[in-house]
Amino acid sequence: DIFNLTLKAKEINIGFSCDGDAPFQILGHQISNGMLTLPQKRKEQYASCQIQKTKRGLQKLIGQVNFYSNYSPAFSEALCALRREMKL
């Protein structure tokens, strides 16, 4: 079988090691002190985002933050409320 797979050399770490509790990133997540955390770059990006005023803008924001839904147990309740408001 032939797989259509493209890898960027600067983003590949083969056979790397990390210091016990040193933070590292993998697949858009940061692992630090044995815990899954949100990367600082993403925190800054979401903190500076504009309040969405259109349905399309809100859908786009939900799509962006949904990847990180496992960081907050209350995320699904907040998302449910947003989607309910979108239907109005």
Side-chain angles (χ1 to χ4, degrees):
D1 293 336
I2 297 175
F3 297 99
N4 188 11
L5 180 66
T6 303
L7 301 173
K8 294 181 181 178
K10 67 180 183 175
E11 296 179 6
I12 297 174
N13 293 315
I14 299 175
F16 71 96
S17 64
C18 65
D19 300 331
D21 293 331
F24 65 96
Q25 290 188 20
I26 185 166
L27 300 175
H29 299 282
Q30 181 170 316
I31 311 297
S32 177
N33 296 324
M35 297 176 57
L36 189 63
T37 61
L38 191 62
Q40 187 63 33
K41 179 181 172 183
R42 291 290 183 182
K43 289 179 189 177
E44 293 167 2
Q45 182 182 18
Y46 293 138
S48 66
C49 74
Q50 299 291 324
I51 295 174
Q52 300 298 319
K53 297 180 181 178
T54 65
K55 184 176 181 178
R56 180 70 184 133
L58 186 56
Q59 289 172 332
K60 184 178 176 182
L61 178 64
I62 289 171
Q64 290 173 340
V65 299
N66 195 36
F67 180 74
Y68 295 101
S69 63
N70 57 344
Y71 288 95
S72 171
F75 185 84
S76 60
E77 289 92 16
L79 186 58
C80 181
L82 284 174
R83 288 195 171 141
R84 191 174 328 124
E85 290 294 322
M86 286 178 16
K87 290 181 182 179
L88 296 177

